[in-house]
Amino acid sequence: MCGIVGYIGKSNAVPVLIDGLKKLEYRGYDSAGVCIFDGCKLTVTKCKGRLSNLEDKIKDDPISGNLGIGHTRWATHGQPSDVNSHPHTNKDMTIGVVHNGIIENYLKIKEWLMSLGYEFETETDTEVVPHLIDYFYDGDLVQAVMKAVDKLEGSYALGIICKNEPDKIVAVRKDSPLIVGLGKGENFIASDIPAILSYTRDVYLLDNREIAILTKDDIKIITQEGLPVNKEIFHVTWDAQSAEKGGYEHFMIKEIHEQPKAIKDTMTSRIMADCDDIKLDNITLTKEQLKNIDKIYIVACGTAYHAGMVGKYVIEKLARIPVEVDIASEFRYRDPILNEKTLMIVVSQSGETADTLAALKQAKESGSRVIAITNVVGSSVAREADDVLYTWAGPEIAVASTKAYVTQLIAMYIIALYLARLNETITIEEYREIRDEMLTLPEKAQIVLNQKEELQKFAASNYMHKDIYYIGRGLDFAVALEGSLKLKEISYIHSDAYAAGELKHGSIALIEKGIPVIALATQSQVYDKMVSNIKEVVSRGAKVIGFAYEGNCEIEKTVNQTVYIPKTLDILAPVLLVIPLQLLAYYTAVEKGCDVDKPRNLAKSVTVE
């Protein structure tokens, strides 16, 4: 959600900023802009729409300079427009600012500044920042920034440049991600690593309330009080090509095809065929500590929440510990019961999800232990949790999550097995059966990927529908929710998922002749009941595509079309079952001509509440 790039060095900043912003397009945005010091003044070029619009504007009116900041905006305060786009400046254009996050007390600051004669042109919360820095500026930009951020409430990642001090960029963060890239004779800031990976692999991960002062040859990091901070350099091990399409038409289809490897990588070193021990990286949870835990909360948003629903099922089934799954944005506001006997598992692909971070902090303040599941090393969630289990999915660029989701599932299974072994609620034979079957999942996922034709055919004949429904029971219902979300996200078709046993309690009223229904039927315990539910919608005219295990020929007698996944343990079915649903959503969006990787109104990393 929004992207920041900043550059100071020997080269022209403009192409560096544009290239970096392109690498951040996946985060979601509706306008873009740059602010460049051209040797004598700050020049701002910005506009509504895609980066290509900004590039065209710069071609028509070229700018250059060795210092600059750039931004892609996802609108929160004020509609998407040229004037509301970032960067923002003070009135005499001596201070330029880019901002991710939300300044919660901006109205109060704005009214105060207006009483002093300051004028505002935009509807944004961000515009108060350059004016506030201007108010405090007396020749020392760093001191002015320190005084200004002391007055700000909310979340922010800020990149700031000043015409009167063109030898530096000042950057500061609070509850919104920001990194500093270390180059040779040049340095960078960015809201995410891919933006600068073509230029450097060495970065500083800024912590809350830290301020970075960049010149072309040096980087200093201080606290908000001005005390020096010694940071360790984080070396990025993956390369820029990992964040490229690699011959695929879209990032999403590339990432769907990367799932067998992502599943394998997330299991590697944690569960092994020749070992009965589970290794949770550096997480140590003793049997005595587990006995003191009487409840587990799994807290997440969106796709990660759906992974949490699967986590609840498998932890309760295997470890026999009560689990509640909560939407992070709702969690804090229902006064949850948290104490030292609570274990919280937070799930966030980016590790920067604002609502999830807030729930994490609340849990820690209440004395609860927190385990984070995330895909981003050094992210805020990873740093603030007591323990972290990384999902080794690699960079995920498409806004709609695919491989991050399946690796979150794998992480849930690993944690569930670990807790079950510790709690002695499964036998060694039961553990080995699940472990051995998990180790076959990468190969079976590849088999699923190799049978796309049925999904393409269904998409081609149903993409014009305004409504599509998903039904399932047990774990299949959790997967149905995720499949429905994927379709909504990228094809804009209205879609809902229902627990199939609930159809008769209201939602079956929506079924009419010809409406497509996706029916998931992999759970043997409720299979016969699921078939009855399918017949209920078929008898009312629904056109049903059924998903079942290979070898189940009976389902073909009930549905119009069938897609099969390799046989696995029912408890592990979500990992394989979600893949054809991802493909179905993808092919439907392609048929409709949608922007698959950058769906409208959405952002990859949701860093505001």
Side-chain angles (χ1 to χ4, degrees), residues 86-204:
H86 294 218
H88 292 291
T89 68
N90 59 338
K91 185 175 182 179
D92 60 6
M93 294 192 64
T94 57
I95 296 167
V97 172
V98 288
H99 165 226
N100 287 353
I102 290 177
I103 308 301
E104 294 176 356
N105 62 335
Y106 85 100
L107 282 175
K108 182 179 178 181
I109 295 173
K110 185 174 182 177
E111 290 169 1
W112 173 65
L113 288 170
M114 289 175 68
S115 74
L116 299 175
Y118 283 88
E119 299 175 358
F120 288 79
E121 298 180 352
T122 80
E123 303 169 84
T124 70
D125 56 326
T126 302
E127 196 183 1
V128 302
V129 180
H131 290 307
L132 191 60
I133 294 171
D134 175 271
Y135 173 80
F136 287 115
Y137 186 73
D138 62 359
D140 189 328
L141 180 62
V142 175
Q143 287 295 318
V145 170
M146 290 168 66
K147 291 176 182 177
V149 297
D150 190 51
K151 303 295 183 185
L152 302 180
E153 296 174 7
S155 61
Y156 48 82
L158 298 169
I160 304 139
I161 59 176
C162 180
K163 170 193 169 184
N164 300 328
E165 299 180 49
D167 62 336
K168 65 172 67 75
I169 297 176
V170 179
V172 57
R173 68 151 290 189
K174 176 181 175 287
D175 298 333
S176 194
L178 197 64
I179 64 167
V180 176
L182 291 74
K184 294 181 179 178
E186 57 185 9
N187 288 305
F188 313 82
I189 62 169
S191 45
D192 206 354
I193 289 170
I196 58 174
L197 198 54
S198 299
Y199 307 96
T200 180
R201 291 175 175 273
D202 293 328
V203 302
Y204 289 133

Side-chain angles (χ1 to χ4, degrees), residues 221-258:
I221 299 175
I222 60 174
T223 67
Q224 202 164 310
E225 295 72 37
L227 301 174
V229 177
N230 293 318
K231 301 286 286 186
E232 287 187 15
I233 293 174
F234 175 72
H235 184 73
V236 182
T237 54
W238 46 274
D239 57 28
Q241 285 67 42
S242 299
E244 299 297 334
K245 290 180 184 174
Y248 288 92
E249 186 177 356
H250 300 99
F251 280 112
M252 184 177 179
I253 192 65
K254 172 179 180 278
E255 289 157 9
I256 289 172
H257 279 83
E258 289 173 342

Side-chain angles (χ1 to χ4, degrees), residues 75-76 111 138 144 202 241 316 368 375 431 472 485 543:
T76 56
E111 290 169 1
D138 62 359
D202 293 328
Q241 285 67 42
E316 288 190 339
S368 304
N375 193 45
Y431 164 72
L485 177 62
K543 181 169 54 175

Side-chain angles (χ1 to χ4, degrees), residues 308-362:
M309 293 180 68
V310 175
K312 168 184 169 66
Y313 184 100
V314 297
I315 292 172
E316 288 190 339
K317 183 175 180 65
L318 299 179
R320 310 307 296 165
I321 303 170
V323 180
E324 287 189 34
V325 187
D326 269 89
I327 297 170
S329 58
E330 295 291 328
F331 182 76
R332 287 182 296 152
Y333 304 107
R334 66 174 184 83
D335 196 16
I337 301 170
L338 292 164
N339 52 47
E340 67 280 355
K341 291 188 176 183
T342 306
L343 174 65
M344 179 181 283
I345 301 173
V346 296
V347 191
S348 169
Q349 175 268 327
S350 67
E352 303 294 348
T353 311
D355 291 308
T356 305
L357 266 169
L360 184 162
K361 292 173 182 175
Q362 183 179 11

Side-chain angles (χ1 to χ4, degrees), residues 500 503-504 508 511 531-541:
L503 284 171
K504 294 185 290 292
I508 201 167
I511 302 301
V531 170
S532 297
N533 298 139
I534 293 172
K535 289 179 178 178
E536 290 168 359
V537 296
V538 168
S539 68
R540 286 158 178 82

Side-chain angles (χ1 to χ4, degrees), residues 444 447-448 451 548-553 563-568:
K444 290 180 176 178
I447 293 170
V448 176
Q451 46 179 17
Y549 290 131
E550 287 175 343
N552 179 358
C553 297
V563 173
Y564 292 108
I565 65 169
K567 187 73 177 77
T568 188

Side-chain angles (χ1 to χ4, degrees), residues 590-605:
V590 170
E591 288 285 348
K592 289 190 67 179
C594 299
D595 191 343
V596 175
D597 289 333
K598 299 186 286 291
R600 67 189 183 202
N601 303 334
L602 297 183
K604 183 65 173 172
S605 179

